[in-house]
Amino acid sequence: MKVYGVPQWGSAIVEAMLALVGQPYAFVDVEGFDRPGEARDRLAAVNPLRQVPTLVLDDGEVLTETAAIALWLADRHAALAPPAGTTDHRRFLRLLIWIVANVYPTFTYGDYPERWAPSAPDELVDATNAHRQRLYRWLEEQVVGPYVLGEQPSALDCYAAVMIDWRPGRAWFAENTPRLCAAAGLMRRDPRLVAVMAHNRLTVD
């Protein structure tokens, strides 16, 4: 299968999940896809919506949305989610969807404020940054430790391992969400993810 992505973007989360379960894949770098050019054309050829990440399966089927990819992989690999029917599985589902439904939109609007608030882009950035910090503080309260859900890693830890380098940045997470930051660091140090972390320039210290 192929992962169309950009280092350090959401595609890194999918790479981490695939590495965690030992699933081979090829990475297709489409950095610059958000502007006209070769990268955009390469991505549009498999996904006209031009989304990162885009996962192309061996049979040619296309999967997008990190949560959908996580659930699809979890159906095939027990290591990515707690057993179905358990309390931890319900918590897993809630937090997985919560992240993409609540945290992700703050980047959708905050990364391109001129699209949504052309008359006041700086205000939109400030508002989304502040809201994201409130969201992460709530998420901190849900972390059991040492991983997000307890003793075993899940796809949620793959999200955390990548997202602590996104805004508001590693120093903020270390100070304000120490349990989440610790879980992310533990996942980054997993030997199965060494190559993914290096490829995405995500340090493990």
Side-chain angles (χ1 to χ4, degrees), residues 185-197:
L186 187 59
M187 188 78 266
R188 285 189 177 196
R189 292 190 295 274
D190 190 300
R192 293 168 291 185
L193 270 61
V194 170
V196 169
M197 295 297 106

Side-chain angles (χ1 to χ4, degrees), residues 1-3 14 18 53-57 61-63 69 72:
M1 57 183 65
K2 295 180 180 179
V3 176
V14 174
L18 291 170
T54 290
L55 180 65
V56 180
L57 306 184
E61 183 179 354
V62 170
L63 278 180
I69 294 169
W72 179 79

Side-chain angles (χ1 to χ4, degrees), residues 20-38:
L20 189 61
V21 300
Q23 172 64 54
Y25 65 93
F27 183 80
V28 182
D29 194 333
V30 291
E31 187 166 4
F33 75 95
D34 52 350
R35 55 185 181 271
E38 181 183 348

